[in-house]
Amino acid sequence: MGDAQLISRFDALLSDLDGVVYAGPHAIPGAVESLLRLSGIGVGLGYVTNNASRTPAQVAAHLRELGAPAEDHQVVSSSQAAAELLASLLPAGAAVLITGSPALAHEIELVGLKPVHGAEDKPVAVVQGFNPGIGWKDLAEASYVVAGGALWVATNTDMSIPQARGIAPGNGTLVAAVAAATRQTPLVAGKPEAPLFHAAAKRLSAERPLVVGDRLDTDILGGNKAGFATVAVLTGVDTLETILAARTDERPGYIINNLTELYEPYPDVESDDGTYRCGDATASVDSNGIRVRGDKSSLDSWRAACAAWWAAHPHAAEPTAPELEWLDQ
């Protein structure tokens, strides 16, 4: 086991927000303090968000209200990633139809493209991002332009968005409406695609970033696609059981309970003839599932179990949940 803190292996932390830094209106215990410690050890900090309806400045202001370190430039949104993607594919001044918020239009403007709002302005591209005010006419306008052969970029494709009253349709459902009408598929800038993570790393001049998130299907998958190290934190959506069962592309490199554990040594997992050891725990796979010798409440037991199961199933295209047999140590 190395004695160095986990975070010392990296030069920047690319952090998700909801489920990592805060849950609803409140900061997650220990999160703000952990983020504040990064500057003291020379590790950069960036926030990556799929929310395209708020400007990075608005997101940063919210983080500062919670006590977290956040300058506007440290927040990288899917709107910015979409704008950078479009700017790399289009000539300067090209007209882009905005199917989304004023914040999205502003990002398009900042990269030297021209935001327009109707097919009569002859846009060569469509950018689609979440805006609760979007209606049928907006989706129809996007469909006309996309069907006409324009480049189509979506900020993100989250199918749902949590609201105070429950789960509501996210940008992905609105993108799906245009896709169904046109039989076209957009390029996607936000999680779980790589552009958002690459944009954040580039902004921080990071060569060895660590992506931290609570969701396998957006944060961890996106970080993996970007070629970065990933750590799953257990303060949000995914659980030890779902992480163990994860398909190959969504498996994190590290698992921690909360952000404070970034400052603790991370144990190595060693294998010996099919038995995987992490700390005092061991795990091995047999025809019935996984036999784990260790404390069920210890992360080391789950780290060993993940290592054993993933080694036995290196190419899992779908989640596969094994039976777990817990043995006394």
Side-chain angles (χ1 to χ4, degrees):
M1 183 188 295
D3 291 330
Q5 300 169 341
L6 172 59
I7 194 60
S8 69
R9 304 179 189 184
F10 306 98
D11 61 0
L13 185 71
L14 305 183
S15 179
D16 178 45
L17 294 173
D18 198 5
V20 176
V21 181
Y22 51 74
H26 303 294
I28 288 169
V32 167
E33 295 80 2
S34 300
L35 297 171
L36 287 166
R37 289 175 67 180
L38 291 171
S39 61
I41 57 171
V43 174
L45 171 60
Y47 300 98
V48 285
T49 175
N50 265 359
N51 189 328
S53 61
R54 291 195 297 171
T55 66
Q58 289 169 327
V59 174
H62 178 220
L63 286 164
R64 288 194 297 270
E65 286 170 13
L66 296 174
E71 296 187 27
D72 294 359
H73 70 86
Q74 288 177 283
V75 178
V76 186
S77 71
S78 60
S79 290
Q80 290 177 318
E84 289 187 24
L85 183 58
L86 283 163
S88 72
L89 298 170
L90 298 173
V96 179
L97 179 73
I98 307 297
T99 307
S101 67
L104 177 57
H106 180 61
E107 297 299 342
I108 294 301
E109 218 164 29
L110 287 177
V111 296
L113 300 173
K114 181 185 177 186
V116 300
H117 297 279
E120 67 276 4
D121 296 308
K122 297 187 170 46
V124 295
V126 175
V127 62
Q128 187 169 358
F130 185 71
N131 180 1
I134 281 179
W136 179 85
K137 287 183 179 178
D138 304 294
L139 297 178
E141 205 70 19
S143 297
Y144 303 146
V145 177
V146 169
L151 174 65
W152 181 24
V153 170
T155 58
N156 65 297
T157 50
D158 297 48
M159 296 306 284
S160 62
I161 184 167
Q163 299 286 291
R165 292 170 57 195
I167 298 297
N171 195 52
T173 59
L174 302 172
V175 169
V178 177
T182 62
R183 298 187 179 179
Q184 300 297 312
T185 305
L187 296 175
V188 181
K191 308 174 200 179
E193 303 306 321
L196 178 61
F197 296 95
H198 286 149
K202 179 181 170 186
R203 189 171 301 185
L204 298 172
S205 300
E207 295 178 1
R208 301 185 317 282
L210 175 64
V211 174
V212 59
D214 68 307
R215 291 185 67 131
L216 301 179
D217 61 352
T218 53
D219 309 315
I220 304 305
L221 176 58
N224 288 344
K225 281 187 177 184
F228 298 156
T230 54
V231 55
V233 67
L234 300 172
T235 48
V237 171
D238 273 292
T239 64
L240 288 167
E241 288 79 9
T242 61
I243 292 169
L244 176 62
R247 62 192 187 94
T248 304
D249 291 345
E250 296 182 0
R251 292 170 178 171
Y254 306 94
I255 308 165
I256 56 178
N257 282 305
N258 50 57
L259 292 186
T260 59
E261 293 185 7
L262 290 172
Y263 298 93
E264 297 176 8
Y266 196 89
D268 296 323
V269 178
E270 297 163 348
S271 66
D272 179 21
D273 196 26
T275 297
Y276 290 77
R277 176 180 294 279
C278 183
D280 294 329
T282 62
S284 58
V285 174
D286 61 22
S287 58
N288 296 319
I290 312 175
R291 295 164 63 87
V292 186
R293 195 173 292 279
D295 184 346
K296 189 175 182 179
S297 65
S298 167
L299 261 192
D300 284 351
S301 298
W302 289 91
R303 289 163 177 155
C306 285
W309 185 248
W310 295 350
H313 298 81
H315 306 296
E318 297 297 329
T320 51
E323 291 291 325
L324 284 162
E325 183 182 356
W326 293 91
L327 307 171
D328 294 333
Q329 281 182 297

